[in-house]
Amino acid sequence: MHKGFIMTAAFLGALAVLLGAFGAHGLKNYASPAALNTYETAVKYQFYHVFALALSGILYSYIPETGILTAGKLFIAGMAVFSGSLYLLTFFSIVELNQFKWLGAITPIGGLLLVSGWLFLAFTVFRFKG
């Protein structure tokens, strides 16, 4: 088991629940429907990848390969960049700071990090001889 990944997944999972509740109850009076949709996407992807990070932490006890560690790190970075950029886009939309719309160009980089995490996980498990 990779204790750091499990602890990080637990923290990010709790954060996803809190942010989701805030979005459902606190933002609905301030954000446009499009901004709320963006925010919901951020929460969903964060929550999905919390499970991927936890899986990486558990798999590491069975497959102690660097590819599993790389996958976990990519999941963390991907959540930060993908969901983080969407959270920021929502915030800047609410406060009408339109000069930060360029953050939307960063979001796909986070998506590529998440996809890379899944591919590292799959490739490492596939080639493991154990």
Side-chain angles (χ1 to χ4, degrees), residues 40-121:
E40 289 173 9
T41 299
V43 171
K44 277 192 265 185
Y45 274 76
Q46 179 179 337
F47 205 56
Y48 297 154
H49 288 88
V50 159
F51 294 112
L53 181 58
L55 175 65
S56 298
I58 294 165
L59 274 176
Y60 188 70
S61 40
Y62 300 100
I63 305 172
E65 300 282 335
T66 58
I68 301 294
L69 297 176
T70 301
K73 291 173 185 177
L74 286 166
F75 290 138
I76 293 168
M79 282 186 273
V81 175
F82 184 86
S83 293
S85 66
L86 293 179
Y87 291 135
L88 288 172
L89 280 171
T90 301
F91 171 74
F92 290 134
S93 168
I94 291 169
V95 297
E96 298 179 5
L97 289 174
N98 295 323
Q99 66 266 35
F100 292 102
K101 285 187 176 186
W102 59 267
L103 282 169
I106 293 174
T107 306
I109 295 168
L112 287 173
L113 291 168
L114 294 171
V115 169
S116 297
W118 285 110
L119 292 174
F120 262 90
L121 194 64

